[in-house]
Amino acid sequence: MAVAVLDNPIQIRFLVGNNKCKMNAENELQKNLDKLHTTELGVERIKRNLSLDEGINDVVSWCKTKISSADAMITRNGKNWYVNVDHCIITVNAYSYTIITAHKEKK
């Protein structure tokens, strides 16, 4: 039995047992991962906010990996997408695909 849960007009999730079929904003963002980018200040902000070690040189690739994860919960609110995955939240502008910021999820 499938149950539709409407969190907001853009986000729709169909729950089938323990499986989730993610639609709309998630598919749109994931289809355009090649367009993701950020600024130099964005790189520094993301590294600082997430306490990423110095071994991670390519923050955009790191974010792409997180966004494409099966555990990523992607929602769209206005002009931004919010990706909640692995106890962090990544904010992406929906029009320019700029990674604006990322921070640790508050407990």
Side-chain angles (χ1 to χ4, degrees):
M1 177 177 173
V3 178
V5 179
L6 183 61
D7 293 330
N8 65 48
I10 306 249
Q11 176 192 29
I12 298 176
R13 301 197 182 283
F14 290 95
L15 305 177
V16 182
N18 290 331
N19 299 324
K20 294 179 182 177
C21 176
K22 302 166 189 172
M23 300 178 63
N24 294 340
E26 214 158 327
N27 290 336
E28 188 67 27
L29 178 57
Q30 289 178 332
K31 279 192 249 179
N32 290 289
L33 286 178
D34 59 317
K35 295 180 183 178
L36 279 183
H37 64 278
T38 193
T39 63
E40 288 182 31
L41 287 175
V43 169
E44 296 305 316
R45 181 172 43 251
I46 292 164
K47 283 185 173 184
R48 182 182 64 245
N49 290 351
L50 295 178
S51 304
L52 296 179
D53 61 37
E54 295 302 316
I56 298 176
N57 294 323
D58 191 349
V59 171
V60 174
S61 290
W62 186 89
C63 289
K64 286 179 183 182
T65 300
K66 294 295 181 183
I67 292 168
S68 61
S69 166
D71 295 327
M73 299 293 288
I74 301 172
T75 57
R76 181 171 172 177
N77 187 1
K79 65 180 183 170
N80 293 330
W81 277 301
Y82 299 92
V83 182
N84 191 324
V85 62
D86 295 339
H87 306 291
C88 69
I89 300 170
I90 302 168
T91 305
V92 179
N93 181 281
Y95 304 108
S96 67
Y97 295 98
T98 304
I99 305 167
I100 300 166
T101 191
H103 60 274
K104 294 177 184 175
E105 185 177 38
K106 293 181 179 155
K107 297 179 182 181

